[in-house]
Amino acid sequence: MRGNIAQLMQQAQKMQENMQRAQEELANIEVTGNAGGGMVNVTLTGRMECRKVRIDPSVLSDPEMAEDLIAAAINDAVNKVNAASQEKMGSATAGMQLPPGMKLPF
């Protein structure tokens, strides 16, 4: 029994180190979401901080369309960050069995 607990603690520590490394890597990535065939581009970091917004001048003539395209580009970028996060966190917990229904990051 003691060996199992020690092994489990060792696996948990390794997983924690891997998760911290993955979070640091995520903080350094940048993804670009776009909408309207590239008429609007939004660049976010892995921490969901906006780095850049590029809007084609032709979009500005229709404010309602511009708003929709900006929202769509942000959502696209957020989805890409979430996908990258899932991938990195999944590899960080590889080999560690989690209880059913438990998701990381918490």
Side-chain angles (χ1 to χ4, degrees), residues 24-31 44-47 81 84 88:
E24 289 169 3
E25 290 173 9
L26 276 171
N28 293 324
I29 68 166
E30 287 189 356
V31 299
L44 299 180
T45 68
R47 290 187 174 149
V81 169
K88 292 246 184 246

Side-chain angles (χ1 to χ4, degrees), residues 31-92:
V31 299
T32 301
N34 59 59
M39 294 173 73
V40 175
N41 294 306
V42 174
T43 302
L44 299 180
T45 68
R47 290 187 174 149
M48 303 288 187
E49 296 170 340
C50 186
R51 289 283 186 228
K52 184 177 180 181
V53 176
R54 192 196 65 73
I55 302 171
D56 188 293
S58 65
V59 173
L60 299 175
S61 63
D62 184 351
E64 193 171 308
M65 182 176 74
E67 291 170 358
D68 290 344
L69 289 175
I70 292 167
I74 290 170
N75 288 335
D76 185 41
V78 166
N79 288 335
K80 289 178 180 179
V81 169
N82 286 337
S85 177
Q86 289 269 12
E87 182 180 326
K88 292 246 184 246
M89 290 304 167
S91 65

